[in-house]
């Protein structure tokens, strides 16, 4: 459960990395992939840190899996403390044949360099995990440990990466979207009366992508979006879900706000035209939201409207229904998504379903060990979410339309159902 996870993080009885016990089933369990590759099935945190900073085996795939998922079993501060612990290797009692400088060069330095490299990768790929206190601790580490150890160039590199990331964080603190955030009076259809279908679909995609791109890996861990105790960790996922629901409710509301069947047919046709443009743009999320609205129980009752749709509208609507159906784990949608050239906006619900399936089917721990196989499965899904965040659209925002799209008017389901009975 989420509470026990948080308790486990906070109450973890810390076992120092050194002296390092030999590998045994009590601290690490290995398994073999079908292609013969060995992977960590379950492990203590210490053994994961040792694998992460292995001087001989630079496993980039493992590093990425770890950085994407570590917040499901530890905290950023704890990870940093462990990296410092791993860096701080005491000089053992040496046989006369080995000098301290030889031992340092052969056994200590390679591990210290790996620790610094992992720290650099962490800052570069997951700076959003780091609060000001952690950034200060990292700077203290560079000044009080790296510089005295004569790793002056490495200390400079870390400072430079931190400065760059802090600068870009300040720039992102006032994101483009906030300029559109003040609500504007909207008439019931207003937004569709004042703009072309092409402009509407394009700007909708701009707003959607900008929100999709803000979702962080930590938001996708431990089903945070579903659990009261963890919801604070998933603000952007929750905002994206709320956005989907508002587009869906707006779609149903727009149809029902029309007084006659003829007007409803005209609007339905316009919405299907918008679906066609969204499909061309690769905005699968809003496609699904509009289709969910057109399939809602209130709209489903409008048999006469549905029967009178123009042939092309009806055929396109059926075609998109087929493409976006949830059967066989969204098989058709996945195939379509993997065939588009980004940019695109995937349907986030598909990934949340995948993650829920993984979370429900695999325990967080195997005995006293962290179930790392589970984290590998989770990281595969997060990697795909991130893939589509990397390709922004080349769309010039229309502030007036973006503002309207962020504040779409709609009625609640109960009200819509009553309206469908009239």
């Amino acid at each position: 459960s989420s509470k026990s996870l948080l308790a486990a993080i906070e109450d973890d009885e810390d076992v120092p990395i050194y002296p390092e016990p030999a590998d045994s089933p009590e601290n690490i369990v290995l398994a073999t992939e079908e292609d013969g590759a060995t992977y960590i099935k379950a492990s203590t945190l210490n053994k994961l840190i040792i694998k992460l900073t292995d001087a001989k085996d630079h496993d980039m795939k493992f590093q990425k899996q770890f950085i994407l998922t570590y917040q499901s079993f530890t905290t950023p501060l704890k990870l940093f403390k462990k990296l410092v612990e791993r860096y701080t290797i005491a000089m053992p009692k040496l046989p006369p044949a080995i000098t301290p400088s030889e031992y340092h060069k052969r056994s200590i330095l390679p591990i210290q360099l790996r620790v610094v490299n992992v720290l650099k990768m962490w800052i570069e790929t997951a700076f959003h995990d780091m609060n000001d206190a952690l950034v200060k601790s990292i700077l203290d580490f560079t000044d009080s440990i790296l510089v005295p150890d004569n790793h002056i160039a490495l200390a400079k590199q870390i400072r430079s990466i931190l400065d760059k990331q802090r600068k870009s964080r300040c720039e992102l603190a006032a994101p483009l979207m906030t300029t559109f955030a003040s609500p504007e009076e909207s008439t019931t259809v207003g937004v569709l009366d004042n703009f072309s279908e092409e402009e509407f679909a394009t700007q909708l995609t701009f707003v959607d992508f900008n929100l999709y791109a803000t979702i962080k890996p930590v938001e996708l861990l431990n089903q945070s979006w579903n659990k009261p105790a963890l919801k604070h960790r998933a603000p952007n996922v929750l905002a994206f879900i709320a956005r989907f629901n508002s587009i869906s409710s707006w779609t149903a509301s727009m149809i029902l706000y029309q007084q006659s069947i003829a007007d409803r047919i005209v609007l339905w046709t316009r919405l299907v035209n918008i679906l066609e443009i969204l499909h061309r743009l690769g905005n699968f999320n809003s496609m699904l939201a509009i289709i969910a609205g057109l399939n809602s129980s209130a709209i489903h009752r409008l048999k006469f409207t549905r029967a009178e749709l123009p042939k092309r509208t009806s055929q396109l609507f059926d075609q998109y229904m087929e493409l976006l159906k949830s059967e066989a784990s969204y098989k058709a949608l996945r195939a379509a998504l993997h065939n588009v050239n980004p940019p695109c906006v995937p349907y986030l619900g598909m990934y949340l379903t995948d993650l829920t399936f993984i979370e429900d089917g695999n325990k967080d721990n195997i005995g006293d060990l962290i179930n790392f196989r589970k984290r590998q499965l989770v990281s595969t899904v997060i990697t795909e979410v991130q893939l589509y965040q990397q390709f922004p659209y080349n769309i010039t925002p229309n502030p007036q339309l973006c503002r309207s799209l962020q504040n779409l008017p709609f009625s609640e389901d109960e009200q819509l159902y009553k309206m469908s009975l009239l």
Side-chain angles (χ1 to χ4, degrees):
S1 79
S2 55
K3 278 187 176 160
S4 66
L5 161 87
L6 292 173
I9 289 171
E10 296 309 323
D11 303 340
D12 185 16
E13 280 299 317
D14 194 21
V15 179
I17 281 186
Y18 302 116
E20 176 194 331
D23 287 4
S24 74
E26 278 77 54
N27 57 41
I28 190 163
V29 178
L30 302 176
T32 310
E33 300 276 17
E34 284 175 15
D35 64 3
T38 304
Y39 66 90
I40 295 177
K41 184 178 177 183
S43 169
T44 59
L45 178 57
N46 284 343
K47 287 291 179 186
L48 289 175
I49 300 289
I50 287 164
K51 163 78 170 164
L52 189 66
T53 54
D54 192 310
K56 296 187 185 75
D57 177 18
H58 300 184
D59 187 341
M60 294 307 291
K61 189 177 174 187
F62 173 81
Q63 274 190 44
K64 184 161 191 199
Q65 291 168 342
F66 184 96
I67 296 295
L68 285 176
T69 63
Y70 75 89
Q71 289 202 75
S72 66
F73 52 83
T74 189
T75 63
L77 187 59
K78 182 77 177 282
L79 171 56
F80 175 66
K81 284 179 176 171
K82 283 284 164 198
L83 288 173
V84 175
E85 215 175 88
R86 174 74 164 145
Y87 176 96
T88 315
I89 305 167
M91 183 69 69
K93 195 166 190 304
L94 297 171
I98 302 173
T99 65
S101 67
E102 276 178 74
Y103 183 83
H104 183 271
K105 190 176 176 183
R106 196 173 66 200
S107 303
I108 295 179
L109 192 60
I111 289 171
Q112 291 185 337
L113 294 177
R114 288 296 302 141
V115 168
V116 174
N117 275 325
V118 167
L119 185 56
K120 275 163 48 181
M121 180 208 177
W122 183 21
I123 299 166
E124 282 171 335
T125 62
F127 187 63
H128 42 72
D129 292 353
M130 300 178 176
N131 61 20
D132 292 344
L134 179 52
V135 170
K136 185 179 181 306
S137 296
I138 295 171
L139 288 170
D140 288 346
F141 170 71
T142 63
D143 291 345
S144 61
I145 296 179
L146 288 184
V147 172
D149 280 354
N150 219 19
H151 296 314
I152 294 160
L154 292 175
K156 272 187 179 169
Q157 279 176 27
I158 288 180
R159 279 187 163 278
S160 157
I161 297 165
L162 278 174
D163 285 346
K164 188 175 155 196
Q165 294 285 23
R166 283 198 292 190
K167 192 171 172 227
S168 74
R169 176 140 81 188
C170 290
E171 285 163 7
L172 288 171
L176 193 51
M177 297 313 303
T178 53
T179 54
F180 313 132
S182 56
E184 198 179 63
E185 284 303 308
S186 296
T187 58
T188 48
V189 182
V191 69
L192 268 182
D193 283 344
N194 299 331
F195 298 97
S196 70
E197 290 151 10
E198 181 79 31
E199 183 75 348
F200 180 90
T202 303
Q203 296 295 315
L204 184 63
T205 299
F206 174 83
V207 174
D208 288 349
F209 179 82
N210 276 286
L211 187 50
Y212 176 75
T214 62
I215 295 167
K216 307 289 185 287
V218 68
E219 299 189 51
L220 299 168
L221 301 175
N222 308 103
Q223 294 183 70
S224 296
W225 65 92
N226 255 341
K227 296 182 176 173
L230 291 176
K231 276 190 173 178
H232 64 281
R233 288 171 68 164
N236 300 306
V237 167
L238 290 170
F240 203 70
I241 292 168
R243 171 139 195 79
F244 181 97
N245 294 338
S246 72
I247 294 167
S248 173
S249 298
W250 170 84
T251 300
S253 301
M254 289 302 105
I255 297 279
L256 289 166
Y257 290 161
Q258 311 308 307
Q259 300 301 308
S260 68
I261 288 181
D263 286 344
R264 284 177 179 177
I265 288 168
V266 168
L267 192 71
W268 196 307
T269 300
R270 293 199 71 189
L271 287 164
V272 171
N273 292 343
I274 287 166
L275 281 175
E276 193 175 10
I277 301 160
L278 291 171
H279 186 224
R280 193 184 76 225
L281 290 166
N283 185 349
F284 296 102
N285 199 73
S286 277
M287 281 185 80
L288 250 137
I290 290 172
I291 281 183
L294 293 173
N295 271 331
S296 60
S297 55
I299 303 298
H300 211 66
R301 299 187 68 262
L302 307 178
K303 299 278 192 285
F304 293 119
T305 305
R306 182 81 173 86
E308 295 296 321
L309 289 176
K311 189 177 176 190
R312 181 179 183 275
T313 299
S314 193
Q315 283 177 339
L316 267 178
F317 182 60
D318 289 343
Q319 184 187 319
Y320 293 137
M321 289 261 288
E322 196 60 27
L323 171 69
L324 301 169
K325 66 183 182 183
S326 61
E327 267 77 357
S329 188
Y330 296 99
K331 187 179 177 185
L333 173 55
R334 286 181 205 271
L337 183 59
H338 295 153
N339 282 327
V340 289
N341 285 325
C344 61
V345 185
Y347 170 49
L348 185 66
M350 179 175 76
Y351 296 127
L352 299 182
T353 305
D354 292 347
L355 290 165
T356 299
F357 188 74
I358 293 166
E359 292 284 354
D360 291 347
N362 299 274
K363 291 179 177 172
D364 277 337
N365 298 315
I366 298 174
D368 291 333
L369 303 179
I370 295 160
N371 180 355
F372 198 73
R373 182 55 162 181
K374 173 177 180 172
R375 275 62 182 204
Q376 288 176 318
L377 299 172
V378 166
S379 75
T380 305
V381 180
I382 296 176
T383 299
E384 190 165 324
V385 171
Q386 283 189 322
L387 170 67
Y388 298 113
Q389 292 179 322
Q390 290 165 28
F391 300 94
Y393 285 86
N394 183 17
I395 295 171
T396 305
N398 174 328
Q400 185 194 351
L401 180 47
C402 285
R403 186 160 51 235
S404 297
L405 290 171
Q406 286 185 308
N407 299 281
L408 290 167
F410 58 85
S411 299
E412 297 302 327
D413 288 353
E414 202 177 317
Q415 180 67 24
L416 290 175
Y417 197 76
K418 283 178 186 167
M419 288 165 74
S420 74
L421 300 173
L422 297 175

